[in-house]
Amino acid sequence: MTSWHRLPLVAWLLLLWLLLWGTLSAAVLLSGLAVAVGVVAAFPMPRVVPLVVPRPLPLAQLALRLLADAAGSAVALAWAVVRHGDRVRSAVVEVPLRADSDLVVTMTSLLTSLTPGSMVLEIDRARLLLYVHELPASGGRVAARREKVRRAEREVVRALGYRPRDAGAAGAAGAAGAAGAAGEGSGA
């Protein structure tokens, strides 16, 4: 009734069924198995070819880089607030992405938002752009933020071993985005 590659999905649905019922009996087990097999047979899913192969050493380096960036940004943000108070300048920075993968974009956005003083405001998947709020945004910090987001994306790609389906299209789309500050303003 089901092929071998669907067995993990059947097992997951059965486990979910057992957890929802909260009891283990022959009737619950058999009915859960019947429902799981029926759902998998009625709604077949295509095989998924993984586009990522996690690499432990680059993942560890990525985690260390996140900690270092978080510490450095926290100090810079605290110093700007102590020094300038409510007159700290902020900016919205447009950052072009190169990888056209939901996983890579999500990981890059999370890494960016976890850094103090920055937050992803919008993800434009059609044009492969991230809009990042930067605080503080004085001097060369806007260009530095853009480079940090690009570096985070490169490190995520390296750590996940991402292989794009069409490398030429993803690279061209990422390079097509215009780089620049979308807007600047002051505010805390």
PDB file of all heavy atoms in Angstrom, residues 27-61:
ATOM      1  N   ALA A  27      -6.426  -1.036  20.362  1.00  0.00           N
ATOM      2  CA  ALA A  27      -7.398  -0.337  19.507  1.00  0.00           C
ATOM      3  C   ALA A  27      -6.844   0.999  19.023  1.00  0.00           C
ATOM      4  O   ALA A  27      -6.977   1.348  17.837  1.00  0.00           O
ATOM      5  CB  ALA A  27      -8.706  -0.130  20.273  1.00  0.00           C
ATOM      6  N   VAL A  28      -6.216   1.747  19.929  1.00  0.00           N
ATOM      7  CA  VAL A  28      -5.644   3.045  19.543  1.00  0.00           C
ATOM      8  C   VAL A  28      -4.492   2.831  18.575  1.00  0.00           C
ATOM      9  O   VAL A  28      -4.362   3.562  17.581  1.00  0.00           O
ATOM     10  CB  VAL A  28      -5.197   3.835  20.798  1.00  0.00           C
ATOM     11  CG1 VAL A  28      -4.420   5.074  20.407  1.00  0.00           C
ATOM     12  CG2 VAL A  28      -6.396   4.206  21.651  1.00  0.00           C
ATOM     13  N   LEU A  29      -3.648   1.853  18.824  1.00  0.00           N
ATOM     14  CA  LEU A  29      -2.500   1.573  17.960  1.00  0.00           C
ATOM     15  C   LEU A  29      -2.958   1.164  16.562  1.00  0.00           C
ATOM     16  O   LEU A  29      -2.467   1.698  15.555  1.00  0.00           O
ATOM     17  CB  LEU A  29      -1.622   0.485  18.584  1.00  0.00           C
ATOM     18  CG  LEU A  29      -0.332   0.161  17.847  1.00  0.00           C
ATOM     19  CD1 LEU A  29       0.606   1.353  17.887  1.00  0.00           C
ATOM     20  CD2 LEU A  29       0.332  -1.051  18.454  1.00  0.00           C
ATOM     21  N   LEU A  30      -3.914   0.230  16.472  1.00  0.00           N
ATOM     22  CA  LEU A  30      -4.381  -0.242  15.163  1.00  0.00           C
ATOM     23  C   LEU A  30      -5.163   0.840  14.414  1.00  0.00           C
ATOM     24  O   LEU A  30      -4.986   0.991  13.201  1.00  0.00           O
ATOM     25  CB  LEU A  30      -5.229  -1.499  15.331  1.00  0.00           C
ATOM     26  CG  LEU A  30      -4.450  -2.739  15.789  1.00  0.00           C
ATOM     27  CD1 LEU A  30      -5.396  -3.909  16.026  1.00  0.00           C
ATOM     28  CD2 LEU A  30      -3.384  -3.110  14.776  1.00  0.00           C
ATOM     29  N   SER A  31      -5.991   1.584  15.132  1.00  0.00           N
ATOM     30  CA  SER A  31      -6.730   2.648  14.450  1.00  0.00           C
ATOM     31  C   SER A  31      -5.772   3.748  13.989  1.00  0.00           C
ATOM     32  O   SER A  31      -5.943   4.309  12.904  1.00  0.00           O
ATOM     33  CB  SER A  31      -7.820   3.216  15.356  1.00  0.00           C
ATOM     34  OG  SER A  31      -7.255   3.840  16.488  1.00  0.00           O
ATOM     35  N   GLY A  32      -4.765   4.058  14.778  1.00  0.00           N
ATOM     36  CA  GLY A  32      -3.771   5.050  14.384  1.00  0.00           C
ATOM     37  C   GLY A  32      -2.983   4.602  13.172  1.00  0.00           C
ATOM     38  O   GLY A  32      -2.700   5.403  12.269  1.00  0.00           O
ATOM     39  N   LEU A  33      -2.620   3.331  13.143  1.00  0.00           N
ATOM     40  CA  LEU A  33      -1.901   2.786  11.992  1.00  0.00           C
ATOM     41  C   LEU A  33      -2.763   2.855  10.741  1.00  0.00           C
ATOM     42  O   LEU A  33      -2.293   3.237   9.664  1.00  0.00           O
ATOM     43  CB  LEU A  33      -1.454   1.347  12.276  1.00  0.00           C
ATOM     44  CG  LEU A  33      -0.569   0.695  11.219  1.00  0.00           C
ATOM     45  CD1 LEU A  33       0.712   1.495  11.034  1.00  0.00           C
ATOM     46  CD2 LEU A  33      -0.249  -0.727  11.616  1.00  0.00           C
ATOM     47  N   ALA A  34      -4.049   2.525  10.884  1.00  0.00           N
ATOM     48  CA  ALA A  34      -4.963   2.575   9.735  1.00  0.00           C
ATOM     49  C   ALA A  34      -5.123   4.010   9.229  1.00  0.00           C
ATOM     50  O   ALA A  34      -5.096   4.260   8.020  1.00  0.00           O
ATOM     51  CB  ALA A  34      -6.319   1.985  10.124  1.00  0.00           C
ATOM     52  N   VAL A  35      -5.274   4.950  10.149  1.00  0.00           N
ATOM     53  CA  VAL A  35      -5.419   6.353   9.746  1.00  0.00           C
ATOM     54  C   VAL A  35      -4.141   6.855   9.085  1.00  0.00           C
ATOM     55  O   VAL A  35      -4.188   7.536   8.050  1.00  0.00           O
ATOM     56  CB  VAL A  35      -5.806   7.235  10.965  1.00  0.00           C
ATOM     57  CG1 VAL A  35      -5.673   8.703  10.634  1.00  0.00           C
ATOM     58  CG2 VAL A  35      -7.216   6.908  11.427  1.00  0.00           C
ATOM     59  N   ALA A  36      -2.982   6.542   9.655  1.00  0.00           N
ATOM     60  CA  ALA A  36      -1.709   7.002   9.100  1.00  0.00           C
ATOM     61  C   ALA A  36      -1.489   6.443   7.699  1.00  0.00           C
ATOM     62  O   ALA A  36      -1.121   7.186   6.774  1.00  0.00           O
ATOM     63  CB  ALA A  36      -0.564   6.604  10.019  1.00  0.00           C
ATOM     64  N   VAL A  37      -1.738   5.154   7.509  1.00  0.00           N
ATOM     65  CA  VAL A  37      -1.564   4.550   6.186  1.00  0.00           C
ATOM     66  C   VAL A  37      -2.575   5.134   5.210  1.00  0.00           C
ATOM     67  O   VAL A  37      -2.253   5.431   4.053  1.00  0.00           O
ATOM     68  CB  VAL A  37      -1.688   3.005   6.273  1.00  0.00           C
ATOM     69  CG1 VAL A  37      -1.789   2.384   4.896  1.00  0.00           C
ATOM     70  CG2 VAL A  37      -0.493   2.435   7.017  1.00  0.00           C
ATOM     71  N   GLY A  38      -3.799   5.345   5.673  1.00  0.00           N
ATOM     72  CA  GLY A  38      -4.820   5.931   4.811  1.00  0.00           C
ATOM     73  C   GLY A  38      -4.477   7.346   4.378  1.00  0.00           C
ATOM     74  O   GLY A  38      -4.639   7.711   3.207  1.00  0.00           O
ATOM     75  N   VAL A  39      -3.983   8.157   5.299  1.00  0.00           N
ATOM     76  CA  VAL A  39      -3.613   9.534   4.964  1.00  0.00           C
ATOM     77  C   VAL A  39      -2.457   9.555   3.978  1.00  0.00           C
ATOM     78  O   VAL A  39      -2.466  10.304   2.994  1.00  0.00           O
ATOM     79  CB  VAL A  39      -3.267  10.329   6.244  1.00  0.00           C
ATOM     80  CG1 VAL A  39      -2.551  11.626   5.919  1.00  0.00           C
ATOM     81  CG2 VAL A  39      -4.516  10.598   7.059  1.00  0.00           C
ATOM     82  N   VAL A  40      -1.450   8.733   4.217  1.00  0.00           N
ATOM     83  CA  VAL A  40      -0.286   8.707   3.324  1.00  0.00           C
ATOM     84  C   VAL A  40      -0.670   8.174   1.944  1.00  0.00           C
ATOM     85  O   VAL A  40      -0.176   8.665   0.928  1.00  0.00           O
ATOM     86  CB  VAL A  40       0.850   7.871   3.958  1.00  0.00           C
ATOM     87  CG1 VAL A  40       1.948   7.601   2.965  1.00  0.00           C
ATOM     88  CG2 VAL A  40       1.404   8.587   5.170  1.00  0.00           C
ATOM     89  N   ALA A  41      -1.593   7.209   1.900  1.00  0.00           N
ATOM     90  CA  ALA A  41      -2.028   6.672   0.607  1.00  0.00           C
ATOM     91  C   ALA A  41      -2.927   7.669  -0.131  1.00  0.00           C
ATOM     92  O   ALA A  41      -2.844   7.810  -1.355  1.00  0.00           O
ATOM     93  CB  ALA A  41      -2.758   5.351   0.803  1.00  0.00           C
ATOM     94  N   ALA A  42      -3.770   8.371   0.593  1.00  0.00           N
ATOM     95  CA  ALA A  42      -4.703   9.299  -0.034  1.00  0.00           C
ATOM     96  C   ALA A  42      -4.022  10.591  -0.493  1.00  0.00           C
ATOM     97  O   ALA A  42      -4.451  11.215  -1.459  1.00  0.00           O
ATOM     98  CB  ALA A  42      -5.838   9.628   0.935  1.00  0.00           C
ATOM     99  N   PHE A  43      -3.001  11.005   0.230  1.00  0.00           N
ATOM    100  CA  PHE A  43      -2.302  12.246  -0.088  1.00  0.00           C
ATOM    101  C   PHE A  43      -0.813  11.985  -0.295  1.00  0.00           C
ATOM    102  O   PHE A  43       0.007  12.349   0.548  1.00  0.00           O
ATOM    103  CB  PHE A  43      -2.502  13.272   1.038  1.00  0.00           C
ATOM    104  CG  PHE A  43      -3.941  13.534   1.353  1.00  0.00           C
ATOM    105  CD1 PHE A  43      -4.523  12.982   2.481  1.00  0.00           C
ATOM    106  CD2 PHE A  43      -4.714  14.307   0.515  1.00  0.00           C
ATOM    107  CE1 PHE A  43      -5.850  13.214   2.780  1.00  0.00           C
ATOM    108  CE2 PHE A  43      -6.042  14.551   0.796  1.00  0.00           C
ATOM    109  CZ  PHE A  43      -6.620  13.994   1.940  1.00  0.00           C
ATOM    110  N   PRO A  44      -0.447  11.367  -1.420  1.00  0.00           N
ATOM    111  CA  PRO A  44       0.973  11.050  -1.642  1.00  0.00           C
ATOM    112  C   PRO A  44       1.800  12.320  -1.798  1.00  0.00           C
ATOM    113  O   PRO A  44       1.371  13.288  -2.421  1.00  0.00           O
ATOM    114  CB  PRO A  44       0.964  10.229  -2.931  1.00  0.00           C
ATOM    115  CG  PRO A  44      -0.295  10.608  -3.616  1.00  0.00           C
ATOM    116  CD  PRO A  44      -1.278  10.973  -2.544  1.00  0.00           C
ATOM    117  N   MET A  45       2.966  12.288  -1.191  1.00  0.00           N
ATOM    118  CA  MET A  45       3.884  13.428  -1.274  1.00  0.00           C
ATOM    119  C   MET A  45       5.062  13.027  -2.153  1.00  0.00           C
ATOM    120  O   MET A  45       5.509  11.889  -2.120  1.00  0.00           O
ATOM    121  CB  MET A  45       4.368  13.811   0.121  1.00  0.00           C
ATOM    122  CG  MET A  45       3.206  14.117   1.022  1.00  0.00           C
ATOM    123  SD  MET A  45       3.369  15.434   2.192  1.00  0.00           S
ATOM    124  CE  MET A  45       4.723  16.383   1.797  1.00  0.00           C
ATOM    125  N   PRO A  46       5.581  13.965  -2.929  1.00  0.00           N
ATOM    126  CA  PRO A  46       6.743  13.634  -3.762  1.00  0.00           C
ATOM    127  C   PRO A  46       7.985  13.450  -2.900  1.00  0.00           C
ATOM    128  O   PRO A  46       8.071  13.960  -1.792  1.00  0.00           O
ATOM    129  CB  PRO A  46       6.887  14.862  -4.661  1.00  0.00           C
ATOM    130  CG  PRO A  46       6.274  15.965  -3.877  1.00  0.00           C
ATOM    131  CD  PRO A  46       5.162  15.345  -3.077  1.00  0.00           C
ATOM    132  N   ARG A  47       8.915  12.709  -3.443  1.00  0.00           N
ATOM    133  CA  ARG A  47      10.185  12.560  -2.741  1.00  0.00           C
ATOM    134  C   ARG A  47      10.892  13.899  -2.689  1.00  0.00           C
ATOM    135  O   ARG A  47      10.880  14.660  -3.649  1.00  0.00           O
ATOM    136  CB  ARG A  47      11.085  11.557  -3.445  1.00  0.00           C
ATOM    137  CG  ARG A  47      10.733  10.155  -3.139  1.00  0.00           C
ATOM    138  CD  ARG A  47      11.832   9.252  -3.606  1.00  0.00           C
ATOM    139  NE  ARG A  47      11.539   7.917  -3.098  1.00  0.00           N
ATOM    140  CZ  ARG A  47      12.311   6.896  -3.289  1.00  0.00           C
ATOM    141  NH1 ARG A  47      13.405   7.019  -3.976  1.00  0.00           N
ATOM    142  NH2 ARG A  47      11.983   5.731  -2.796  1.00  0.00           N
ATOM    143  N   VAL A  48      11.515  14.165  -1.565  1.00  0.00           N
ATOM    144  CA  VAL A  48      12.233  15.416  -1.387  1.00  0.00           C
ATOM    145  C   VAL A  48      13.721  15.135  -1.449  1.00  0.00           C
ATOM    146  O   VAL A  48      14.239  14.329  -0.689  1.00  0.00           O
ATOM    147  CB  VAL A  48      11.868  16.064  -0.032  1.00  0.00           C
ATOM    148  CG1 VAL A  48      12.668  17.333   0.182  1.00  0.00           C
ATOM    149  CG2 VAL A  48      10.387  16.350   0.024  1.00  0.00           C
ATOM    150  N   VAL A  49      14.383  15.787  -2.380  1.00  0.00           N
ATOM    151  CA  VAL A  49      15.822  15.655  -2.498  1.00  0.00           C
ATOM    152  C   VAL A  49      16.435  16.788  -1.679  1.00  0.00           C
ATOM    153  O   VAL A  49      16.183  17.962  -1.961  1.00  0.00           O
ATOM    154  CB  VAL A  49      16.276  15.746  -3.965  1.00  0.00           C
ATOM    155  CG1 VAL A  49      17.782  15.663  -4.068  1.00  0.00           C
ATOM    156  CG2 VAL A  49      15.610  14.664  -4.777  1.00  0.00           C
ATOM    157  N   PRO A  50      17.207  16.458  -0.659  1.00  0.00           N
ATOM    158  CA  PRO A  50      17.743  17.529   0.179  1.00  0.00           C
ATOM    159  C   PRO A  50      18.726  18.404  -0.593  1.00  0.00           C
ATOM    160  O   PRO A  50      19.586  17.916  -1.310  1.00  0.00           O
ATOM    161  CB  PRO A  50      18.450  16.785   1.312  1.00  0.00           C
ATOM    162  CG  PRO A  50      18.729  15.425   0.764  1.00  0.00           C
ATOM    163  CD  PRO A  50      17.654  15.139  -0.244  1.00  0.00           C
ATOM    164  N   LEU A  51      18.543  19.726  -0.428  1.00  0.00           N
ATOM    165  CA  LEU A  51      19.459  20.673  -1.056  1.00  0.00           C
ATOM    166  C   LEU A  51      20.547  21.113  -0.088  1.00  0.00           C
ATOM    167  O   LEU A  51      21.389  21.919  -0.443  1.00  0.00           O
ATOM    168  CB  LEU A  51      18.692  21.901  -1.546  1.00  0.00           C
ATOM    169  CG  LEU A  51      17.693  21.648  -2.664  1.00  0.00           C
ATOM    170  CD1 LEU A  51      16.936  22.920  -2.987  1.00  0.00           C
ATOM    171  CD2 LEU A  51      18.403  21.124  -3.897  1.00  0.00           C
ATOM    172  N   VAL A  52      20.480  20.599   1.143  1.00  0.00           N
ATOM    173  CA  VAL A  52      21.485  20.953   2.141  1.00  0.00           C
ATOM    174  C   VAL A  52      22.073  19.690   2.746  1.00  0.00           C
ATOM    175  O   VAL A  52      21.402  18.687   2.904  1.00  0.00           O
ATOM    176  CB  VAL A  52      20.905  21.846   3.262  1.00  0.00           C
ATOM    177  CG1 VAL A  52      20.448  23.160   2.708  1.00  0.00           C
ATOM    178  CG2 VAL A  52      19.792  21.155   3.984  1.00  0.00           C
ATOM    179  N   VAL A  53      23.348  19.767   3.043  1.00  0.00           N
ATOM    180  CA  VAL A  53      24.051  18.718   3.758  1.00  0.00           C
ATOM    181  C   VAL A  53      24.827  19.416   4.869  1.00  0.00           C
ATOM    182  O   VAL A  53      25.865  20.019   4.612  1.00  0.00           O
ATOM    183  CB  VAL A  53      25.019  17.945   2.828  1.00  0.00           C
ATOM    184  CG1 VAL A  53      25.756  16.872   3.603  1.00  0.00           C
ATOM    185  CG2 VAL A  53      24.278  17.352   1.650  1.00  0.00           C
ATOM    186  N   PRO A  54      24.287  19.415   6.108  1.00  0.00           N
ATOM    187  CA  PRO A  54      24.933  20.166   7.189  1.00  0.00           C
ATOM    188  C   PRO A  54      26.387  19.754   7.394  1.00  0.00           C
ATOM    189  O   PRO A  54      26.723  18.568   7.337  1.00  0.00           O
ATOM    190  CB  PRO A  54      24.093  19.821   8.418  1.00  0.00           C
ATOM    191  CG  PRO A  54      22.795  19.348   7.878  1.00  0.00           C
ATOM    192  CD  PRO A  54      23.091  18.724   6.548  1.00  0.00           C
ATOM    193  N   ARG A  55      27.229  20.737   7.631  1.00  0.00           N
ATOM    194  CA  ARG A  55      28.658  20.518   7.874  1.00  0.00           C
ATOM    195  C   ARG A  55      28.966  20.959   9.296  1.00  0.00           C
ATOM    196  O   ARG A  55      28.819  22.146   9.623  1.00  0.00           O
ATOM    197  CB  ARG A  55      29.472  21.311   6.869  1.00  0.00           C
ATOM    198  CG  ARG A  55      29.195  20.876   5.448  1.00  0.00           C
ATOM    199  CD  ARG A  55      29.963  21.721   4.476  1.00  0.00           C
ATOM    200  NE  ARG A  55      29.721  21.283   3.118  1.00  0.00           N
ATOM    201  CZ  ARG A  55      29.803  22.071   2.076  1.00  0.00           C
ATOM    202  NH1 ARG A  55      30.128  23.329   2.231  1.00  0.00           N
ATOM    203  NH2 ARG A  55      29.564  21.603   0.872  1.00  0.00           N
ATOM    204  N   PRO A  56      29.406  20.049  10.159  1.00  0.00           N
ATOM    205  CA  PRO A  56      29.572  20.356  11.583  1.00  0.00           C
ATOM    206  C   PRO A  56      30.564  21.489  11.890  1.00  0.00           C
ATOM    207  O   PRO A  56      30.261  22.365  12.693  1.00  0.00           O
ATOM    208  CB  PRO A  56      30.067  19.037  12.182  1.00  0.00           C
ATOM    209  CG  PRO A  56      29.646  17.992  11.218  1.00  0.00           C
ATOM    210  CD  PRO A  56      29.641  18.636   9.874  1.00  0.00           C
ATOM    211  N   LEU A  57      31.728  21.486  11.273  1.00  0.00           N
ATOM    212  CA  LEU A  57      32.726  22.512  11.577  1.00  0.00           C
ATOM    213  C   LEU A  57      32.252  23.916  11.167  1.00  0.00           C
ATOM    214  O   LEU A  57      32.300  24.841  11.982  1.00  0.00           O
ATOM    215  CB  LEU A  57      34.072  22.176  10.931  1.00  0.00           C
ATOM    216  CG  LEU A  57      35.224  23.110  11.283  1.00  0.00           C
ATOM    217  CD1 LEU A  57      35.461  23.146  12.790  1.00  0.00           C
ATOM    218  CD2 LEU A  57      36.488  22.685  10.565  1.00  0.00           C
ATOM    219  N   PRO A  58      31.756  24.101   9.942  1.00  0.00           N
ATOM    220  CA  PRO A  58      31.230  25.428   9.610  1.00  0.00           C
ATOM    221  C   PRO A  58      30.012  25.823  10.461  1.00  0.00           C
ATOM    222  O   PRO A  58      29.830  27.008  10.741  1.00  0.00           O
ATOM    223  CB  PRO A  58      30.843  25.304   8.132  1.00  0.00           C
ATOM    224  CG  PRO A  58      31.746  24.255   7.593  1.00  0.00           C
ATOM    225  CD  PRO A  58      31.893  23.280   8.719  1.00  0.00           C
ATOM    226  N   LEU A  59      29.198  24.857  10.899  1.00  0.00           N
ATOM    227  CA  LEU A  59      28.086  25.175  11.796  1.00  0.00           C
ATOM    228  C   LEU A  59      28.603  25.702  13.133  1.00  0.00           C
ATOM    229  O   LEU A  59      28.060  26.666  13.675  1.00  0.00           O
ATOM    230  CB  LEU A  59      27.209  23.940  12.028  1.00  0.00           C
ATOM    231  CG  LEU A  59      26.107  23.688  11.018  1.00  0.00           C
ATOM    232  CD1 LEU A  59      25.440  22.348  11.276  1.00  0.00           C
ATOM    233  CD2 LEU A  59      25.088  24.794  11.006  1.00  0.00           C
ATOM    234  N   ALA A  60      29.657  25.075  13.650  1.00  0.00           N
ATOM    235  CA  ALA A  60      30.255  25.543  14.906  1.00  0.00           C
ATOM    236  C   ALA A  60      30.853  26.935  14.725  1.00  0.00           C
ATOM    237  O   ALA A  60      30.714  27.798  15.597  1.00  0.00           O
ATOM    238  CB  ALA A  60      31.319  24.555  15.380  1.00  0.00           C
ATOM    239  N   GLN A  61      31.526  27.162  13.596  1.00  0.00           N
ATOM    240  CA  GLN A  61      32.080  28.482  13.320  1.00  0.00           C
ATOM    241  C   GLN A  61      30.975  29.530  13.205  1.00  0.00           C
ATOM    242  O   GLN A  61      31.129  30.657  13.673  1.00  0.00           O
ATOM    243  CB  GLN A  61      32.915  28.452  12.039  1.00  0.00           C
ATOM    244  CG  GLN A  61      34.187  27.666  12.161  1.00  0.00           C
ATOM    245  CD  GLN A  61      34.887  27.470  10.824  1.00  0.00           C
ATOM    246  OE1 GLN A  61      34.283  27.603   9.767  1.00  0.00           O
ATOM    247  NE2 GLN A  61      36.171  27.145  10.884  1.00  0.00           N
TER     248      GLN A  61
END
